Amino acid sequence: MKKIIFTLSLFAAIFFFQNNVNAQSSNSATLRHIVIITFKQDAPSDSIRALDDLYKTLSKDPSVKDFETGVNISMRDSGTVKHVYVTSFASKDDMDKYRKIPDYSKLFKISLSIADDVTAADYWVNK
């Protein structure tokens, strides 16, 4: 009887572990890629707009699950212009596909001349 309980417990543990691993690659999981750009004081508004537009264009790729953007309004950062770009993916493979889009490299070309600082983070969403 103890062997049966042990065996069932072992199978249950393996099942739950496998489901947890698969959850991070299933359609219900979300991988977020966040980019926060602090623009130089003298950054031309048309260049910032071009960067915003490029992010919006890239977000229409089928590899992108969701996209949002906004301007930081935190009182702690008064005097600096920061744009936040949040791109969500269903899998790591989708994020890798996104990074291989030919126009993706333009993000760096545009932002290098107008960015004072860039922060990026990638993480699996935990709910």
Side-chain angles (χ1 to χ4, degrees):
M1 183 69 166
K2 287 183 181 181
K3 283 186 177 183
I4 293 172
I5 293 173
F6 174 76
T7 304
L8 290 174
S9 298
L10 183 61
F11 280 123
I14 291 169
F15 174 77
F16 288 119
F17 176 75
Q18 187 64 34
N19 278 349
N20 190 29
V21 169
N22 288 339
Q24 295 206 344
S25 62
S26 72
N27 288 338
S28 64
T30 301
L31 177 60
R32 291 255 165 75
H33 173 65
I34 298 177
V35 177
I36 302 171
I37 299 179
T38 305
F39 293 103
K40 294 178 181 176
Q41 291 281 336
D42 60 348
S45 60
D46 60 332
S47 295
I48 295 173
R49 194 172 319 106
L51 187 63
D52 289 345
D53 291 345
L54 181 55
Y55 267 106
K56 289 174 187 172
T57 298
L58 289 171
S59 74
K60 295 176 182 162
D61 188 82
S63 63
V64 175
K65 183 175 180 177
D66 193 28
F67 175 76
E68 58 188 53
T69 186
V71 177
N72 180 33
I73 59 169
S74 173
M75 298 302 283
R76 293 183 280 180
D77 289 328
S78 62
T80 62
V81 177
K82 289 185 180 183
H83 286 213
V84 180
Y85 307 95
V86 181
T87 310
S88 300
F89 304 94
S91 69
K92 176 90 167 71
D93 287 341
D94 284 348
M95 187 167 74
D96 292 341
K97 288 176 193 171
Y98 174 79
R99 290 179 171 158
K100 292 177 184 172
I101 298 171
D103 283 345
Y104 180 79
S105 62
K106 291 180 182 178
L107 292 173
F108 303 99
K109 291 176 184 172
I110 295 172
S111 62
L112 280 176
S113 64
I114 60 175
D116 195 28
D117 185 48
V118 177
T119 302
D122 299 325
Y123 64 94
W124 287 102
V125 175
N126 292 320
K127 291 187 178 186

